[in-house]
Amino acid sequence: MTVQDKELVPGLAGIPAAESSISYIDGQAGILEYRGHRIETLAEKSNFEETCWLLWHGELPTRKQLDGFRARLAGYRGIPQEAVDVIERLPKGGHPMAALQAGMATLGMYSPNVDVHDQSQREDAYARLIAATPTLVAAFARARAGKPFVAPDPDLDTAANFLYMLTGETPDELAAHVLDVCLVLHADHTMNASTFAARVVASTEADPYSVCASAVGALKGPLHGGANERVLQQLETIGSADAVPAWLDKVSAEKGKIMGFGHRVYKTKDPRAKRLQTLVREVREKLGSTPVYDTALALEDAVVAKLGAKGIHPNVDFFSGIVYEKLGIPTDFFTPIFAIARVSGWLSHWNEQMHDNRIFRPGQIFTGSHDAVYVPIDER
Ligand code: CMC
């Protein structure tokens, strides 16, 4: 049988693209695990740094290993002044995900070459990219706001330091904790579009900066990570809980997509959305009410009543934007936060891919013509 006789599976839905032991989803039961650990347990008991170690190594670190890893991250958070200069010269009207893509490529140009076949060099690059990605994002946020770059504080962890680099002020404990949990929840998610993009680029033996820059491009799209900023815009457009039914009828009549709902794998409520909803409640109690939250709850009820039987429920992007808005983060920086977390997943997949690599080269079903006649340009 040639590839031409095979049946096309649009979006490669359900087709395995790799063997992986990093994360696991049961889409019917709403279960997500990293290396066998349930996401709810990690969100409650772990933290982003420990989760990064777990994803890469396959097991939880000892205290000594975690302390060593944290120290390594602290040492790699700074980026060269030349990279800051490049980021500060990027167009201020550009999207922060485009700035991150450019920042990743720039950082790669100022970083040591990585022998992708050397496990210890891969591990070093993992730490470098996890540490520096928040700095790249914060550098663009500061530049866009017309404010000077804030150098990282080596005494703060990833989440607290990111908030510090955004504002220049040490964040309160709740804000840092909430962001840390969000990073844990977004760290990996099996063979999603950006991870697949990362693995495809990894399979060419490209460097990890190119792997991440490509994955950032894939994550930016509204059907993937870009949905989180659109969820907030959608809730603001709806305006209030009372306006939900009429808005939903209109979108359904136009066969539009409701942002923050539906998933290729989950056919029930995304477990990350459940945990994020709890976080929204905690933030609301401590930092005051969130007008968009009431609209969100009404929208969830209405969408599930209408489309739940089709397996359409809230996904991770539905509540994350509400959390970030409450932390004072600009809407178009929501997806870069997703990327800050997902660098750990992308590069863990890169590492796995390099253990048993074969370049991705799928087939196609040709639908064009043959034996076309070349007509000279003046006779066409
Ligand atoms: N609103 C309305 N209808 C939907 C939605 C939605 N959000 N999602 C799926 N459907 C319908 C779709 O119209 C189709 O109906 P029918 O069978 O009658 O044509 C059916 O459900 C199957 O949808 P699909 O688009 O073929 O499903 P997919 O697996 O190809 O796409 C998805 C999955 C996430 C791209 C899609 O659900 C979607 O576009 N959701 C909105 C964007 C979004 O929230 N993305 C974030 C995804 S989760 C986090 C991440 O990956 O970053």
Side-chain angles (χ1 to χ4, degrees), residues 87-134:
I87 291 170
E88 287 180 341
R89 280 173 178 72
L90 292 172
K92 308 285 179 286
H95 196 281
M97 285 294 273
L100 178 57
Q101 225 177 3
M104 292 259 182
T106 306
L107 186 67
M109 295 167 85
Y110 287 108
S111 302
N113 280 338
V114 182
D115 176 354
V116 299
H117 300 291
D118 182 322
Q119 172 69 22
S120 70
Q121 290 195 32
R122 287 205 298 270
E123 194 175 338
D124 186 60
Y126 182 61
R128 283 176 185 272
L129 271 146
I130 288 169
T133 302

mmCIF file of all heavy atoms in Angstrom, residues 87-134:
data_model
loop_
_atom_site.group_PDB
_atom_site.id
_atom_site.type_symbol
_atom_site.label_atom_id
_atom_site.label_comp_id
_atom_site.label_asym_id
_atom_site.label_seq_id
_atom_site.Cartn_x
_atom_site.Cartn_y
_atom_site.Cartn_z
ATOM 1 N N ILE A 87 15.684 43.547 22.229
ATOM 2 C CA ILE A 87 14.265 43.515 22.644
ATOM 3 C C ILE A 87 13.724 44.941 22.769
ATOM 4 O O ILE A 87 12.596 45.233 22.365
ATOM 5 C CB ILE A 87 14.110 42.714 23.952
ATOM 6 C CG1 ILE A 87 14.390 41.242 23.666
ATOM 7 C CG2 ILE A 87 12.712 42.880 24.549
ATOM 8 C CD1 ILE A 87 14.516 40.363 24.878
ATOM 9 N N GLU A 88 14.543 45.835 23.288
ATOM 10 C CA GLU A 88 14.077 47.223 23.464
ATOM 11 C C GLU A 88 13.871 47.939 22.127
ATOM 12 O O GLU A 88 13.142 48.920 22.055
ATOM 13 C CB GLU A 88 15.067 48.000 24.346
ATOM 14 C CG GLU A 88 14.940 47.538 25.801
ATOM 15 C CD GLU A 88 15.874 48.253 26.779
ATOM 16 O OE1 GLU A 88 16.862 48.836 26.301
ATOM 17 O OE2 GLU A 88 15.600 48.202 27.986
ATOM 18 N N ARG A 89 14.501 47.417 21.073
ATOM 19 C CA ARG A 89 14.341 48.053 19.756
ATOM 20 C C ARG A 89 13.203 47.430 18.942
ATOM 21 O O ARG A 89 12.916 47.872 17.830
ATOM 22 C CB ARG A 89 15.651 47.959 18.971
ATOM 23 C CG ARG A 89 16.651 49.020 19.398
ATOM 24 C CD ARG A 89 18.000 48.836 18.742
ATOM 25 N NE ARG A 89 18.929 49.881 19.132
ATOM 26 C CZ ARG A 89 19.502 50.003 20.333
ATOM 27 N NH1 ARG A 89 19.202 49.129 21.285
ATOM 28 N NH2 ARG A 89 20.335 50.976 20.611
ATOM 29 N N LEU A 90 12.580 46.394 19.438
ATOM 30 C CA LEU A 90 11.475 45.761 18.689
ATOM 31 C C LEU A 90 10.285 46.720 18.653
ATOM 32 O O LEU A 90 10.108 47.522 19.578
ATOM 33 C CB LEU A 90 11.065 44.441 19.369
ATOM 34 C CG LEU A 90 12.098 43.310 19.308
ATOM 35 C CD1 LEU A 90 11.668 42.136 20.188
ATOM 36 C CD2 LEU A 90 12.322 42.836 17.881
ATOM 37 N N PRO A 91 9.446 46.618 17.602
ATOM 38 C CA PRO A 91 8.297 47.539 17.532
ATOM 39 C C PRO A 91 7.380 47.364 18.747
ATOM 40 O O PRO A 91 7.007 46.232 19.084
ATOM 41 C CB PRO A 91 7.571 47.114 16.245
ATOM 42 C CG PRO A 91 8.460 46.148 15.544
ATOM 43 C CD PRO A 91 9.525 45.689 16.488
ATOM 44 N N LYS A 92 7.033 48.469 19.383
ATOM 45 C CA LYS A 92 6.224 48.401 20.612
ATOM 46 C C LYS A 92 4.803 47.912 20.326
ATOM 47 O O LYS A 92 4.114 47.414 21.205
ATOM 48 C CB LYS A 92 6.152 49.775 21.299
ATOM 49 C CG LYS A 92 7.516 50.419 21.546
ATOM 50 C CD LYS A 92 8.253 49.770 22.694
ATOM 51 C CE LYS A 92 9.623 50.362 22.949
ATOM 52 N NZ LYS A 92 10.681 50.016 21.973
ATOM 53 N N GLY A 93 4.358 48.054 19.070
ATOM 54 C CA GLY A 93 3.002 47.616 18.731
ATOM 55 C C GLY A 93 2.931 46.138 18.378
ATOM 56 O O GLY A 93 1.859 45.595 18.125
ATOM 57 N N GLY A 94 4.086 45.465 18.348
ATOM 58 C CA GLY A 94 4.086 44.045 18.004
ATOM 59 C C GLY A 94 3.561 43.199 19.151
ATOM 60 O O GLY A 94 3.502 43.645 20.302
ATOM 61 N N HIS A 95 3.167 41.963 18.833
ATOM 62 C CA HIS A 95 2.627 41.092 19.878
ATOM 63 C C HIS A 95 3.775 40.550 20.745
ATOM 64 O O HIS A 95 4.831 40.183 20.221
ATOM 65 C CB HIS A 95 1.852 39.923 19.249
ATOM 66 C CG HIS A 95 0.976 39.230 20.261
ATOM 67 N ND1 HIS A 95 1.475 38.328 21.172
ATOM 68 C CD2 HIS A 95 -0.348 39.341 20.526
ATOM 69 C CE1 HIS A 95 0.481 37.909 21.952
ATOM 70 N NE2 HIS A 95 -0.640 38.508 21.573
ATOM 71 N N PRO A 96 3.545 40.459 22.068
ATOM 72 C CA PRO A 96 4.596 39.934 22.955
ATOM 73 C C PRO A 96 5.057 38.518 22.595
ATOM 74 O O PRO A 96 6.208 38.151 22.884
ATOM 75 C CB PRO A 96 3.937 39.953 24.339
ATOM 76 C CG PRO A 96 2.878 40.994 24.249
ATOM 77 C CD PRO A 96 2.393 40.987 22.828
ATOM 78 N N MET A 97 4.208 37.722 21.941
ATOM 79 C CA MET A 97 4.655 36.381 21.537
ATOM 80 C C MET A 97 5.652 36.481 20.376
ATOM 81 O O MET A 97 6.574 35.675 20.263
ATOM 82 C CB MET A 97 3.476 35.500 21.138
ATOM 83 C CG MET A 97 2.670 35.000 22.305
ATOM 84 S SD MET A 97 3.611 33.857 23.366
ATOM 85 C CE MET A 97 3.300 32.302 22.528
ATOM 86 N N ALA A 98 5.452 37.475 19.503
ATOM 87 C CA ALA A 98 6.412 37.693 18.413
ATOM 88 C C ALA A 98 7.731 38.174 19.009
ATOM 89 O O ALA A 98 8.817 37.769 18.581
ATOM 90 C CB ALA A 98 5.852 38.697 17.409
ATOM 91 N N ALA A 99 7.633 39.043 20.026
ATOM 92 C CA ALA A 99 8.846 39.536 20.696
ATOM 93 C C ALA A 99 9.567 38.368 21.372
ATOM 94 O O ALA A 99 10.801 38.290 21.355
ATOM 95 C CB ALA A 99 8.478 40.597 21.730
ATOM 96 N N LEU A 100 8.799 37.443 21.945
ATOM 97 C CA LEU A 100 9.425 36.299 22.616
ATOM 98 C C LEU A 100 10.135 35.402 21.598
ATOM 99 O O LEU A 100 11.239 34.912 21.847
ATOM 100 C CB LEU A 100 8.366 35.496 23.396
ATOM 101 C CG LEU A 100 8.875 34.251 24.106
ATOM 102 C CD1 LEU A 100 10.012 34.571 25.087
ATOM 103 C CD2 LEU A 100 7.742 33.547 24.856
ATOM 104 N N GLN A 101 9.487 35.230 20.449
ATOM 105 C CA GLN A 101 10.109 34.415 19.400
ATOM 106 C C GLN A 101 11.442 35.036 18.969
ATOM 107 O O GLN A 101 12.465 34.349 18.870
ATOM 108 C CB GLN A 101 9.164 34.361 18.194
ATOM 109 C CG GLN A 101 9.029 33.002 17.624
ATOM 110 C CD GLN A 101 8.048 32.950 16.473
ATOM 111 O OE1 GLN A 101 7.481 33.948 16.036
ATOM 112 N NE2 GLN A 101 7.854 31.760 15.955
ATOM 113 N N ALA A 102 11.409 36.366 18.756
ATOM 114 C CA ALA A 102 12.640 37.072 18.371
ATOM 115 C C ALA A 102 13.658 37.010 19.509
ATOM 116 O O ALA A 102 14.860 36.822 19.281
ATOM 117 C CB ALA A 102 12.313 38.525 18.033
ATOM 118 N N GLY A 103 13.164 37.137 20.736
ATOM 119 C CA GLY A 103 14.046 37.102 21.911
ATOM 120 C C GLY A 103 14.729 35.750 22.073
ATOM 121 O O GLY A 103 15.923 35.676 22.394
ATOM 122 N N MET A 104 13.974 34.682 21.815
ATOM 123 C CA MET A 104 14.542 33.325 21.922
ATOM 124 C C MET A 104 15.679 33.147 20.904
ATOM 125 O O MET A 104 16.734 32.612 21.231
ATOM 126 C CB MET A 104 13.478 32.276 21.591
ATOM 127 C CG MET A 104 12.376 32.182 22.597
ATOM 128 S SD MET A 104 12.684 30.786 23.611
ATOM 129 C CE MET A 104 11.341 30.704 24.709
ATOM 130 N N ALA A 105 15.416 33.579 19.665
ATOM 131 C CA ALA A 105 16.426 33.435 18.617
ATOM 132 C C ALA A 105 17.652 34.277 18.958
ATOM 133 O O ALA A 105 18.794 33.834 18.793
ATOM 134 C CB ALA A 105 15.842 33.857 17.263
ATOM 135 N N THR A 106 17.402 35.481 19.483
ATOM 136 C CA THR A 106 18.514 36.370 19.855
ATOM 137 C C THR A 106 19.334 35.748 20.978
ATOM 138 O O THR A 106 20.575 35.713 20.923
ATOM 139 C CB THR A 106 17.960 37.741 20.315
ATOM 140 O OG1 THR A 106 17.115 38.241 19.291
ATOM 141 C CG2 THR A 106 19.077 38.729 20.588
ATOM 142 N N LEU A 107 18.641 35.238 21.985
ATOM 143 C CA LEU A 107 19.344 34.619 23.118
ATOM 144 C C LEU A 107 20.228 33.470 22.640
ATOM 145 O O LEU A 107 21.365 33.305 23.092
ATOM 146 C CB LEU A 107 18.307 34.100 24.130
ATOM 147 C CG LEU A 107 18.869 33.566 25.435
ATOM 148 C CD1 LEU A 107 19.503 34.681 26.252
ATOM 149 C CD2 LEU A 107 17.767 32.898 26.251
ATOM 150 N N GLY A 108 19.694 32.699 21.679
ATOM 151 C CA GLY A 108 20.475 31.583 21.125
ATOM 152 C C GLY A 108 21.778 32.070 20.495
ATOM 153 O O GLY A 108 22.816 31.412 20.589
ATOM 154 N N MET A 109 21.708 33.267 19.877
ATOM 155 C CA MET A 109 22.907 33.805 19.216
ATOM 156 C C MET A 109 23.959 34.258 20.224
ATOM 157 O O MET A 109 25.134 34.360 19.895
ATOM 158 C CB MET A 109 22.519 34.958 18.281
ATOM 159 C CG MET A 109 21.643 34.488 17.130
ATOM 160 S SD MET A 109 20.875 35.850 16.252
ATOM 161 C CE MET A 109 22.153 36.268 15.110
ATOM 162 N N TYR A 110 23.538 34.559 21.448
ATOM 163 C CA TYR A 110 24.488 34.999 22.477
ATOM 164 C C TYR A 110 24.815 33.877 23.469
ATOM 165 O O TYR A 110 25.439 34.124 24.495
ATOM 166 C CB TYR A 110 23.910 36.198 23.247
ATOM 167 C CG TYR A 110 23.916 37.470 22.438
ATOM 168 C CD1 TYR A 110 22.741 38.005 21.938
ATOM 169 C CD2 TYR A 110 25.114 38.119 22.150
ATOM 170 C CE1 TYR A 110 22.749 39.168 21.177
ATOM 171 C CE2 TYR A 110 25.131 39.272 21.385
ATOM 172 C CZ TYR A 110 23.951 39.794 20.907
ATOM 173 O OH TYR A 110 23.963 40.934 20.149
ATOM 174 N N SER A 111 24.369 32.660 23.203
ATOM 175 C CA SER A 111 24.579 31.551 24.148
ATOM 176 C C SER A 111 25.567 30.552 23.566
ATOM 177 O O SER A 111 25.754 30.496 22.347
ATOM 178 C CB SER A 111 23.245 30.845 24.430
ATOM 179 O OG SER A 111 22.323 31.768 24.935
ATOM 180 N N PRO A 112 26.188 29.738 24.442
ATOM 181 C CA PRO A 112 27.132 28.739 23.926
ATOM 182 C C PRO A 112 26.433 27.761 22.990
ATOM 183 O O PRO A 112 25.255 27.443 23.196
ATOM 184 C CB PRO A 112 27.592 27.999 25.193
ATOM 185 C CG PRO A 112 27.059 28.751 26.349
ATOM 186 C CD PRO A 112 26.012 29.685 25.890
ATOM 187 N N ASN A 113 27.141 27.292 21.963
ATOM 188 C CA ASN A 113 26.577 26.278 21.071
ATOM 189 C C ASN A 113 26.236 25.039 21.885
ATOM 190 O O ASN A 113 26.946 24.696 22.834
ATOM 191 C CB ASN A 113 27.587 25.884 20.002
ATOM 192 C CG ASN A 113 27.618 26.908 18.886
ATOM 193 O OD1 ASN A 113 26.652 27.658 18.699
ATOM 194 N ND2 ASN A 113 28.723 26.965 18.172
ATOM 195 N N VAL A 114 25.155 24.365 21.502
ATOM 196 C CA VAL A 114 24.741 23.164 22.226
ATOM 197 C C VAL A 114 24.966 21.957 21.317
ATOM 198 O O VAL A 114 24.426 21.915 20.204
ATOM 199 C CB VAL A 114 23.244 23.250 22.613
ATOM 200 C CG1 VAL A 114 22.822 22.024 23.398
ATOM 201 C CG2 VAL A 114 22.958 24.524 23.395
ATOM 202 N N ASP A 115 25.748 21.004 21.807
ATOM 203 C CA ASP A 115 25.856 19.724 21.097
ATOM 204 C C ASP A 115 24.613 18.922 21.488
ATOM 205 O O ASP A 115 24.509 18.427 22.610
ATOM 206 C CB ASP A 115 27.134 18.994 21.518
ATOM 207 C CG ASP A 115 27.239 17.613 20.881
ATOM 208 O OD1 ASP A 115 26.274 17.193 20.205
ATOM 209 O OD2 ASP A 115 28.280 16.952 21.072
ATOM 210 N N VAL A 116 23.661 18.829 20.558
ATOM 211 C CA VAL A 116 22.361 18.236 20.907
ATOM 212 C C VAL A 116 22.456 16.743 21.214
ATOM 213 O O VAL A 116 21.505 16.145 21.715
ATOM 214 C CB VAL A 116 21.297 18.489 19.804
ATOM 215 C CG1 VAL A 116 21.069 19.976 19.616
ATOM 216 C CG2 VAL A 116 21.671 17.826 18.489
ATOM 217 N N HIS A 117 23.632 16.125 20.916
ATOM 218 C CA HIS A 117 23.812 14.702 21.218
ATOM 219 C C HIS A 117 24.399 14.483 22.614
ATOM 220 O O HIS A 117 24.545 13.348 23.048
ATOM 221 C CB HIS A 117 24.723 14.049 20.173
ATOM 222 C CG HIS A 117 24.157 14.170 18.796
ATOM 223 N ND1 HIS A 117 23.026 13.478 18.407
ATOM 224 C CD2 HIS A 117 24.512 14.939 17.748
ATOM 225 C CE1 HIS A 117 22.731 13.807 17.164
ATOM 226 N NE2 HIS A 117 23.614 14.697 16.745
ATOM 227 N N ASP A 118 24.733 15.568 23.283
ATOM 228 C CA ASP A 118 25.373 15.472 24.593
ATOM 229 C C ASP A 118 24.326 15.753 25.686
ATOM 230 O O ASP A 118 23.816 16.882 25.804
ATOM 231 C CB ASP A 118 26.518 16.505 24.645
ATOM 232 C CG ASP A 118 27.279 16.462 25.963
ATOM 233 O OD1 ASP A 118 26.636 16.264 27.017
ATOM 234 O OD2 ASP A 118 28.507 16.646 25.928
ATOM 235 N N GLN A 119 24.029 14.730 26.468
ATOM 236 C CA GLN A 119 22.975 14.832 27.485
ATOM 237 C C GLN A 119 23.239 15.968 28.482
ATOM 238 O O GLN A 119 22.320 16.694 28.857
ATOM 239 C CB GLN A 119 22.850 13.476 28.206
ATOM 240 C CG GLN A 119 21.941 13.445 29.420
ATOM 241 C CD GLN A 119 20.457 13.599 29.067
ATOM 242 O OE1 GLN A 119 20.038 13.334 27.938
ATOM 243 N NE2 GLN A 119 19.673 14.047 30.036
ATOM 244 N N SER A 120 24.493 16.135 28.915
ATOM 245 C CA SER A 120 24.747 17.169 29.934
ATOM 246 C C SER A 120 24.615 18.566 29.321
ATOM 247 O O SER A 120 24.157 19.496 29.981
ATOM 248 C CB SER A 120 26.108 16.972 30.606
ATOM 249 O OG SER A 120 27.119 17.266 29.686
ATOM 250 N N GLN A 121 24.951 18.715 28.037
ATOM 251 C CA GLN A 121 24.751 20.026 27.391
ATOM 252 C C GLN A 121 23.264 20.300 27.187
ATOM 253 O O GLN A 121 22.806 21.433 27.284
ATOM 254 C CB GLN A 121 25.489 20.078 26.045
ATOM 255 C CG GLN A 121 26.994 20.117 26.220
ATOM 256 C CD GLN A 121 27.706 20.540 24.943
ATOM 257 O OE1 GLN A 121 27.204 21.325 24.146
ATOM 258 N NE2 GLN A 121 28.901 20.010 24.745
ATOM 259 N N ARG A 122 22.516 19.232 26.928
ATOM 260 C CA ARG A 122 21.051 19.414 26.789
ATOM 261 C C ARG A 122 20.459 19.877 28.126
ATOM 262 O O ARG A 122 19.630 20.785 28.179
ATOM 263 C CB ARG A 122 20.379 18.117 26.340
ATOM 264 C CG ARG A 122 20.627 17.751 24.899
ATOM 265 C CD ARG A 122 19.524 16.861 24.343
ATOM 266 N NE ARG A 122 19.398 15.582 25.019
ATOM 267 C CZ ARG A 122 20.052 14.469 24.668
ATOM 268 N NH1 ARG A 122 20.861 14.479 23.639
ATOM 269 N NH2 ARG A 122 19.865 13.339 25.336
ATOM 270 N N GLU A 123 20.923 19.241 29.199
ATOM 271 C CA GLU A 123 20.391 19.588 30.522
ATOM 272 C C GLU A 123 20.760 21.034 30.890
ATOM 273 O O GLU A 123 19.960 21.762 31.483
ATOM 274 C CB GLU A 123 20.932 18.607 31.565
ATOM 275 C CG GLU A 123 20.165 18.700 32.857
ATOM 276 C CD GLU A 123 20.591 17.663 33.879
ATOM 277 O OE1 GLU A 123 21.159 16.622 33.488
ATOM 278 O OE2 GLU A 123 20.369 17.911 35.072
ATOM 279 N N ASP A 124 21.949 21.436 30.500
ATOM 280 C CA ASP A 124 22.371 22.805 30.779
ATOM 281 C C ASP A 124 21.489 23.800 30.002
ATOM 282 O O ASP A 124 21.040 24.816 30.544
ATOM 283 C CB ASP A 124 23.848 22.973 30.381
ATOM 284 C CG ASP A 124 24.376 24.321 30.791
ATOM 285 O OD1 ASP A 124 24.364 24.610 32.002
ATOM 286 O OD2 ASP A 124 24.767 25.107 29.909
ATOM 287 N N ALA A 125 21.205 23.463 28.739
ATOM 288 C CA ALA A 125 20.359 24.340 27.914
ATOM 289 C C ALA A 125 18.943 24.411 28.491
ATOM 290 O O ALA A 125 18.277 25.461 28.423
ATOM 291 C CB ALA A 125 20.330 23.833 26.475
ATOM 292 N N TYR A 126 18.484 23.292 29.046
ATOM 293 C CA TYR A 126 17.145 23.249 29.683
ATOM 294 C C TYR A 126 17.084 24.313 30.788
ATOM 295 O O TYR A 126 16.162 25.141 30.829
ATOM 296 C CB TYR A 126 16.952 21.847 30.256
ATOM 297 C CG TYR A 126 15.615 21.571 30.926
ATOM 298 C CD1 TYR A 126 14.422 21.653 30.222
ATOM 299 C CD2 TYR A 126 15.549 21.177 32.271
ATOM 300 C CE1 TYR A 126 13.207 21.358 30.822
ATOM 301 C CE2 TYR A 126 14.338 20.872 32.884
ATOM 302 C CZ TYR A 126 13.171 20.974 32.150
ATOM 303 O OH TYR A 126 11.967 20.673 32.746
ATOM 304 N N ALA A 127 18.076 24.297 31.673
ATOM 305 C CA ALA A 127 18.101 25.270 32.776
ATOM 306 C C ALA A 127 18.207 26.694 32.237
ATOM 307 O O ALA A 127 17.520 27.611 32.709
ATOM 308 C CB ALA A 127 19.263 24.957 33.719
ATOM 309 N N ARG A 128 19.055 26.887 31.231
ATOM 310 C CA ARG A 128 19.237 28.238 30.676
ATOM 311 C C ARG A 128 17.919 28.790 30.125
ATOM 312 O O ARG A 128 17.566 29.947 30.352
ATOM 313 C CB ARG A 128 20.260 28.221 29.532
ATOM 314 C CG ARG A 128 21.699 28.136 30.008
ATOM 315 C CD ARG A 128 22.630 28.031 28.809
ATOM 316 N NE ARG A 128 23.997 27.830 29.232
ATOM 317 C CZ ARG A 128 24.864 28.802 29.511
ATOM 318 N NH1 ARG A 128 24.500 30.059 29.385
ATOM 319 N NH2 ARG A 128 26.086 28.529 29.913
ATOM 320 N N LEU A 129 17.193 27.952 29.369
ATOM 321 C CA LEU A 129 15.978 28.452 28.735
ATOM 322 C C LEU A 129 14.837 28.644 29.729
ATOM 323 O O LEU A 129 14.066 29.605 29.619
ATOM 324 C CB LEU A 129 15.575 27.543 27.575
ATOM 325 C CG LEU A 129 16.237 28.000 26.266
ATOM 326 C CD1 LEU A 129 16.581 26.840 25.362
ATOM 327 C CD2 LEU A 129 15.349 28.994 25.539
ATOM 328 N N ILE A 130 14.711 27.733 30.696
ATOM 329 C CA ILE A 130 13.667 27.928 31.716
ATOM 330 C C ILE A 130 13.940 29.226 32.474
ATOM 331 O O ILE A 130 13.031 30.002 32.759
ATOM 332 C CB ILE A 130 13.638 26.739 32.699
ATOM 333 C CG1 ILE A 130 13.060 25.517 32.002
ATOM 334 C CG2 ILE A 130 12.794 27.062 33.941
ATOM 335 C CD1 ILE A 130 13.230 24.254 32.805
ATOM 336 N N ALA A 131 15.215 29.452 32.782
ATOM 337 C CA ALA A 131 15.582 30.632 33.578
ATOM 338 C C ALA A 131 15.417 31.930 32.795
ATOM 339 O O ALA A 131 14.947 32.939 33.341
ATOM 340 C CB ALA A 131 17.023 30.490 34.047
ATOM 341 N N ALA A 132 15.796 31.925 31.510
ATOM 342 C CA ALA A 132 15.860 33.190 30.764
ATOM 343 C C ALA A 132 14.539 33.575 30.097
ATOM 344 O O ALA A 132 14.334 34.758 29.792
ATOM 345 C CB ALA A 132 16.964 33.104 29.710
ATOM 346 N N THR A 133 13.641 32.612 29.865
ATOM 347 C CA THR A 133 12.400 32.959 29.149
ATOM 348 C C THR A 133 11.595 34.046 29.882
ATOM 349 O O THR A 133 11.161 35.022 29.252
ATOM 350 C CB THR A 133 11.557 31.695 28.879
ATOM 351 O OG1 THR A 133 12.364 30.789 28.127
ATOM 352 C CG2 THR A 133 10.308 32.016 28.090
ATOM 353 N N PRO A 134 11.396 33.934 31.216
ATOM 354 C CA PRO A 134 10.654 35.019 31.887
ATOM 355 C C PRO A 134 11.351 36.369 31.740
ATOM 356 O O PRO A 134 10.684 37.415 31.637
ATOM 357 C CB PRO A 134 10.646 34.587 33.359
ATOM 358 C CG PRO A 134 10.947 33.124 33.363
ATOM 359 C CD PRO A 134 11.784 32.859 32.157
#
